Amino acid sequence: MTRNILIVAGDGIGPEVMGEVERVIGWFNEKRGFDASIENELVGGCCYDAHGVAVTDETVEKAKKADAVLLGAVGGPKWDNVPYEGRPEAGLLRLRKDLELFANLRPALCFAALADASSLKREIVEGLDIMIVRELTGGVYFGEPKEITDLGNGERRGVDTQVYTTSEIRRIAEVAFDLAKKRDNRVMSVEKRNVMKSGVLWYEEVKKLHGEKFADVKLEHMLADNCAMQLVRNPKQFDVIVTDNLFGDVLSDIASMLTGSLGMLPSASLGAKDASGKACAMYEPVHGSAPDIAGTGAANPIASILSFAMALRYTFELGADADLLEKAVDTVLADGLRTGDIMQPGMKKVGTKEMGDAILAALTKLNG
Ligand code: IPM
Ligand code: MG
C-alpha cells in the first residue's frame, strides 16, 4: 500500500524547509519501508501569482484524498496589497475548513539542549512539555457575519463573529481528554466566560462532557488572559490546554517562545473520521514564511521535520518511526548544531541543508 503525501511548500522559507522534509521522507522510504509517494502543489502567494487564487479547487481535492498534507508556510510582504479573498492566508484557511481540520495539536516541548535559548530562565522552561489543542474550524475565524459596512455617515463598522455550538465544543474537548489520558491526564480548558457568551457555553459543555465520559481526567478551567500570564510565569503547571481558535492562535505563539524558538514547533491539524475511517490531516510548522531570510539557506527545518514526525505518529500510526525521528533531532541539538534562530555561544552554526544532512546522518546512526 503506497502512502500518498501531498506537499504544499508555499512561500518564503516554505520550499527550503520542505526540501529537507522530502529528503527525510526519502530516508524513511529507503531505510524503514515507509513506501510514500510525494506530490507537490502550490498554496499561498505563489499560487495567487500563478492562478489568481491562494489555493485551487484541484489542490483542495487532492488534499482531501491524500493520506497526509504537509504544508510549509504562506505569506509575505509581496502580497500585502492583494484582495482580501486572494491573500496567501486564505489558502491555508480554506484547506483547514474544506478538509474539516477541527483539531489543531501544538506541542510546546523544550529540548534540554535549548533551554538557554528561551527568553525565560532555564529553570522555568527546562523539561517543559505542553500540548495546546486549538479548535481550528470555528470561532471568530469563520463566524458570520464577517464584514465591513459603510454606515453612510462617514463611519464604517467592522464585524467578526465569535460563534460555537455544542457539537463543535464537544468534539474538540474529546480530542483534548483523549490526549491527556496518554500524557499526564490533566486538561486546562481556556475561555473568557466572564465576558463572552460563547465562553460560558464552552465552559459548560466541556464540564458536562467531562462528567459524562472523562471523569477520570483532571479538568480545570482558566480565563484566557490569566492563561497567557501563567504561561510565562509558570508554564510547567500545564499538561493539555484546550481552547478556541483565536485564543489558541495567541497562546500557542506565547508557548512557542518558551521552547527557545518558533523554528522548533510542529503542529498537526486533524479532521473527523469519515464512514470508512479515513480522516484528513495536515501537518505544518507553527512558524511563518520568514521572508527576511527566505532564499538564504539559513532557515531552521526542524519544525517542519518534527511536523512530519507527527504525521508518522498520528496519520500513519508509526510511533516507533516518529520516536526515531524525534530522537535524531534531539541528538543533533545535543551535538551542538544550531541554525541562526537558535544559535548560542560555543555552538556550531549551520544552514538549512547542513541541518538536514545532520538529521539524516543521525537517523542512519540510530537506526543501526
Ligand atoms: C497560525 C497562523 C494562522 C492563523 C494565519 C497565518 C492565518 O498564525 O497558524 O497560527 O492565524 O491561524
Ligand atoms: Mg498563529
Side-chain angles (χ1 to χ4, degrees), residues 137 148 204 234 236 287 295 315:
T137 50
I148 298 176
E204 290 176 358
N234 175 22
K236 284 191 251 176
H287 65 66
T315 292

Side-chain angles (χ1 to χ4, degrees), residues 7-259:
I7 295 189
V8 279
D11 308 316
I13 60 171
E16 291 160 69
V17 294
M18 295 315 286
E20 299 312 306
V21 173
E22 285 206 34
R23 295 209 292 152
V24 170
I25 296 173
W27 186 93
F28 276 88
N29 278 344
E30 198 181 311
K31 301 284 172 37
R32 303 273 296 184
F34 181 52
D35 194 19
S37 71
I38 299 174
E39 266 198 90
N40 284 277
E41 287 296 345
L42 300 176
V43 70
C46 57
C47 187
Y48 181 81
D49 289 345
H51 302 292
V53 286
V55 66
T56 64
D57 296 345
E58 294 76 42
T59 298
V60 171
E61 285 316 306
K62 257 187 205 172
K64 281 185 188 163
K65 289 197 191 102
D67 293 311
V69 180
L70 307 182
L71 184 128
V74 295
K78 183 177 172 202
W79 301 283
D80 275 352
N81 296 316
V82 308
Y84 186 78
E85 293 69 33
R87 74 200 191 287
E89 291 78 7
L92 175 62
L93 294 176
R94 179 165 172 210
L95 282 170
R96 287 176 180 171
K97 191 73 179 171
D98 285 12
L99 273 61
E100 231 193 304
L101 305 172
F102 71 93
N104 184 214
L105 278 41
R106 297 192 161 183
L109 204 131
C110 185
F111 284 85
L114 286 187
D116 291 317
S118 172
S119 48
L120 269 67
K121 293 188 198 82
R122 170 178 275 274
E123 59 268 26
I124 308 260
V125 295
E126 196 170 23
L128 180 80
D129 182 359
I130 303 178
M131 177 67 88
I132 297 188
V133 178
R134 168 189 177 192
E135 199 291 327
L136 202 62
T137 50
V140 77
Y141 273 60
F142 298 100
E144 295 286 347
K146 189 177 196 65
E147 63 190 11
I148 298 176
T149 46
D150 197 330
L151 299 180
N153 54 356
E155 291 261 10
R156 296 193 299 156
R157 190 169 70 132
V159 181
D160 293 281
T161 304
Q162 164 79 348
V163 48
Y164 274 105
T165 59
T166 299
S167 56
E168 284 178 307
I169 298 167
R170 283 178 73 99
R171 70 177 178 176
I172 191 70
E174 181 125 19
V175 170
F177 286 127
D178 279 334
L179 277 168
K181 283 180 163 181
K182 295 181 200 148
R183 298 170 46 96
D184 201 34
N185 210 32
R186 295 183 292 122
V187 170
M188 182 66 78
S189 172
V190 174
E191 30 58 22
K192 264 187 80 75
R193 65 184 181 280
N194 54 345
V195 284
M196 295 163 77
K197 284 290 179 186
S198 59
V200 172
L201 187 73
W202 185 282
Y203 170 84
E204 290 176 358
E205 294 295 346
V206 173
K207 205 169 163 197
K208 182 154 173 272
L209 178 70
H210 176 253
E212 285 167 19
K213 275 183 80 176
F214 296 101
D216 50 334
V217 179
K218 181 164 190 241
L219 170 67
E220 288 177 287
H221 306 268
M222 196 177 261
L223 298 177
D225 52 346
N226 184 27
C227 182
M229 186 273 276
Q230 295 295 339
L231 272 172
V232 284
R233 192 185 76 90
N234 175 22
K236 284 191 251 176
Q237 70 184 284
F238 298 107
D239 179 26
V240 174
I241 293 176
V242 63
T243 190
D244 78 13
N245 205 342
L246 184 60
F247 292 142
D249 181 45
V250 175
L251 295 174
S252 62
D253 261 30
I254 298 178
S256 73
M257 266 326 282
L258 307 174
T259 70

